[in-house]
């Protein structure tokens, strides 16, 4: 498996060189830069195409691309309106637009656009499998570093002058968790739960590799990342997503419809028992990291209350950098995509992202019945949706971007043609 053109070379060498880029402290700069380079290359090819351009070389954006572009633009509109409502000034508008929108939200629309370039999905699958094998080797090294009491934080990259808080910090692959006094790996991610998100996406990408050896090694590396991250949600997603994918793939079959109807009747009869079981699971889930769950719940309630009473339409525009002591001074509007959206960008921003998700779910679900790349894209969207309740997914797009390109391939009108090629 070798890259055959300029976009494939960029994607291939970036993925397999992820750890080099990480230890340079350059991911938060190089990730968005890659999105803009691929987009510029795409626009150049689109501008230069003529009536004589062969059909297989022509670039035509699909409706799903425009949905994401419009929805992301609406978030920027809400950002500007929120800044104006709170008189934050043009300087702050520019700063928030660059750091909060151009480097985060826009990536959710730009990387799927790269699917219109000649990038083979199998190339991405193999590169991700290689990265997962690298991680499989480095996970035990991270534990050894912890056992040897080596310092976790190595340095802060000089690129931090471009802004982005602690995303330029370079660590020795682990962090110490004071809650249970155990190490948590985060390897090339900015924090441990973020590694769980990336690993779940990479698990599905590695599982598509055509080589049995690379496929199983890549999946093993992804599972090692999930376990070593000690992220509860990532463990739930690892088991839930395959079950959800299987169930949804059987929806059109009569036996599944009959079973669903029968199960609904039983659920109605034993609803109190089922509700009690779910409450017990939720209780055990939160008690596994009780303090973290408590802080997250308070952050959510504060964000919702202040959104509803202070800025329901356009939001506050910016995160409140330091919350009250009761939430460990955590920023209000963080740790949750939807709570962060309504706090920062109000109802407008929340509805924009919600519509883009709903549209993508619908398109990918329909296409997943006849396109494997759309099926993988659908799995990735489920993972991203699950993690919207624990992470700000737009802030992590610069590390899980290979999954976004696969989502773009699945959303394309000619997804089956691309997969076959």
């Amino acid at each position: 498996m070798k890259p055959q053109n300029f976009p494939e070379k960029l994607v291939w060498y970036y993925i397999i060189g992820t750890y080099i880029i990480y230890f340079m402290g350059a991911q938060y700069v190089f990730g968005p830069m890659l999105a803009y380079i691929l987009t510029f290359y795409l626009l150049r090819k689109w501008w230069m195409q003529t009536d004589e351009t062969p059909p297989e070389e022509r670039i035509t954006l699909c409706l799903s691309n425009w949905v994401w572009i419009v929805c992301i633009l609406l978030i920027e509109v809400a950002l500007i309106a929120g800044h104006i409502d709170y008189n934050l000034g043009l300087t702050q508008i520019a700063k928030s637009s660059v750091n909060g929108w151009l480097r985060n939200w826009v990536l959710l629309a730009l990387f799927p656009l790269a699917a219109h370039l000649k990038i083979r999905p199998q190339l991405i699958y193999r590169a991700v499998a290689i990265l997962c094998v690298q991680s499989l080797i480095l996970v035990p090294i991270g534990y050894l570093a912890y056992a040897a009491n080596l310092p976790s934080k190595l340095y802060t990259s000089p690129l931090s002058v471009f802004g982005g808080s602690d995303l330029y910090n370079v660590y020795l692959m682990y962090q110490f968790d004071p809650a249970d006094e155990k190490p948590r790996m985060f390897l090339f991610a900015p924090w441990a739960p973020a590694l769980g998100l990336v690993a779940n996406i990479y698990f599905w990408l590695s599982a598509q590799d055509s080589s049995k050896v690379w496929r199983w090694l890549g999946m093993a590396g992804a599972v090692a990342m999930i376990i070593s991250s000690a992220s509860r949600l990532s463990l739930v997603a690892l088991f839930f997503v395959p079950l959800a994918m299987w169930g949804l793939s059987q929806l059109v079959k009569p036996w599944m419809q009959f079973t669903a109807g029968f199960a609904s009747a039983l659920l109605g009869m034993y609803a109190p028992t089922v509700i009690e079981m779910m409450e017990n699971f939720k209780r055990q889930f939160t008690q596994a990291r009780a303090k973290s769950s408590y802080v997250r719940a308070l952050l959510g309630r504060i964000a919702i209350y202040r959104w509803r009473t202070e800025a329901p339409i356009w939001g506050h525009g910016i995160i409140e950098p330091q919350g009250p002591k009761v939430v460990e001074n955590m920023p209000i509007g963080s740790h949750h995509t939807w709570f962060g959206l309504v706090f920062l960008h109000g109802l407008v921003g929340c509805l924009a992202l919600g519509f883009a998700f709903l549209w993508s779910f619908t398109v990918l679900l329909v296409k997943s019945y006849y396109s494997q790349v759309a099926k993988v894209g659908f799995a990735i969207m489920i993972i991203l949706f699950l993690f919207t309740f624990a992470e700000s997914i737009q802030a992590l797009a610069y590390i899980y971007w290979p999954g976004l390109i696969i989502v773009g391939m699945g959303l394309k009108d000619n997804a089956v043609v691309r997969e076959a090629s």
Side-chain angles (χ1 to χ4, degrees):
M1 186 69 65
K2 293 183 179 180
Q4 298 176 352
N5 54 51
F6 177 68
E8 284 196 344
K9 288 179 181 178
L10 284 179
V11 169
W12 173 266
Y13 290 113
Y14 191 108
I15 295 175
I16 66 173
T18 293
Y19 279 102
I20 296 175
I21 298 172
Y22 170 74
F23 283 111
M24 290 170 56
Q27 277 194 117
Y28 196 55
V29 173
F30 285 10
M33 187 183 300
L34 176 65
Y36 285 104
I37 291 174
L38 291 173
T39 302
F40 176 78
Y41 188 80
L42 174 74
L43 294 176
R44 180 176 175 272
K45 286 179 67 68
W46 173 79
W47 181 261
M48 295 180 66
Q49 67 186 10
T50 64
D51 293 337
E52 297 178 356
T53 303
E56 64 274 11
E57 297 287 340
R58 294 189 65 84
I59 294 173
T60 304
L61 301 187
C62 65
L63 180 57
S64 297
N65 290 127
W66 290 113
V67 167
W68 274 98
I69 290 171
V70 170
C71 289
I72 296 303
L73 286 173
L74 280 175
I75 291 176
E76 171 65 4
V77 171
L79 182 149
I80 295 173
H83 280 65
I84 293 174
D85 280 351
Y86 282 86
N87 300 312
L88 297 176
L90 290 176
T91 301
Q92 185 60 52
I93 290 176
K95 183 179 179 180
S96 298
S97 295
V98 171
N99 291 328
W101 190 72
L102 287 172
R103 299 172 71 171
N104 292 327
W105 286 112
V106 172
L107 305 190
L108 298 179
L110 294 189
F111 277 119
L113 284 177
H116 292 272
L117 296 170
K118 279 189 170 296
I119 301 174
R120 292 165 292 163
Q122 282 296 336
L123 182 98
I124 294 179
Y125 301 153
R126 176 60 57 80
V128 166
I130 293 173
L131 175 58
C132 288
V133 172
Q134 294 172 358
S135 301
L136 185 62
I137 297 171
L138 289 174
V139 164
I141 295 177
Y143 281 110
L144 288 174
Y146 166 76
N149 201 30
L150 296 178
S152 174
K153 183 177 177 179
L154 298 179
Y155 71 99
T156 298
S157 170
L159 294 173
S160 60
V161 296
F162 293 107
S165 65
D166 58 352
L167 295 176
Y168 296 98
N169 291 335
V170 179
Y171 294 85
L172 196 57
M173 299 179 290
Y174 80 92
Q175 64 181 170
F176 179 74
D177 189 354
D180 53 14
E181 299 184 351
K182 293 180 180 179
R184 302 180 72 183
M185 298 298 121
F186 55 91
L187 304 180
F188 58 88
W191 44 79
L195 179 65
L197 164 60
V198 178
N200 268 278
I201 292 175
Y202 284 6
F203 177 86
W204 279 88
L205 298 183
S206 298
Q208 313 309 312
D209 197 287
S210 56
S211 167
K212 187 175 182 179
V213 174
W214 280 113
R215 180 166 66 248
W216 285 103
L217 284 175
M219 292 167 65
V223 171
M225 286 191 281
I226 291 171
I227 294 174
S228 64
S229 72
S231 167
R232 295 165 296 166
L233 182 55
S234 64
L235 287 169
V236 171
L238 180 63
F239 294 99
F240 172 78
V241 176
L243 291 174
M245 291 293 295
W246 178 83
L248 291 169
S249 68
Q250 306 298 315
L251 280 178
V252 296
K253 297 184 178 180
W255 74 268
M256 184 63 174
Q257 297 171 13
F258 175 79
T259 303
F262 182 70
S264 298
L266 285 179
L267 188 63
M269 294 172 57
Y270 298 98
T273 303
V274 174
I275 292 173
E276 184 179 355
M277 290 174 60
M278 294 177 64
E279 288 178 345
N280 287 336
F281 174 78
K282 181 181 178 181
R283 190 179 304 113
Q284 293 175 4
F285 185 84
T286 55
Q287 287 178 351
R289 296 179 59 81
K291 187 174 182 180
S292 174
S293 299
Y294 175 73
V295 170
R296 285 177 179 270
L298 277 181
L299 280 172
R301 290 204 293 269
I302 293 172
I304 291 296
Y305 175 78
R306 293 191 55 187
W307 158 68
R308 189 177 65 248
T309 58
E310 299 174 1
I313 305 301
W314 303 109
H316 294 79
I318 59 174
I319 286 178
E320 186 171 308
Q322 187 171 355
K325 186 175 179 58
V326 70
V327 291
E328 305 289 337
N329 302 121
M330 292 287 187
I332 305 300
S334 63
H335 291 77
H336 197 293
T337 299
W338 304 107
F339 292 159
L341 260 176
V342 294
F343 183 80
L344 268 71
H345 310 306
L347 187 62
V348 173
C350 191
L351 290 178
L353 183 66
F355 181 79
F357 258 92
L358 181 61
W359 178 276
S360 300
F361 276 136
T362 304
V363 172
L364 291 170
L365 176 59
V366 172
K367 290 186 176 184
S368 67
Y369 288 102
Y370 56 82
S371 168
Q372 182 62 23
V373 72
K375 187 175 182 179
V376 178
F378 185 56
I380 291 170
M381 288 303 299
I382 294 177
I383 293 168
L384 289 178
F385 182 72
L386 288 175
F387 275 87
T388 59
F389 299 99
E391 294 288 339
S392 298
I393 61 167
Q394 78 283 358
L396 300 172
Y398 73 99
I399 55 172
Y400 65 74
W401 60 266
L404 293 176
I405 295 181
I406 296 298
V407 168
M409 292 179 180
L411 291 172
K412 285 179 60 176
D413 292 334
N414 60 338
V416 179
V417 176
R418 167 61 69 185
E419 182 180 4
S421 63

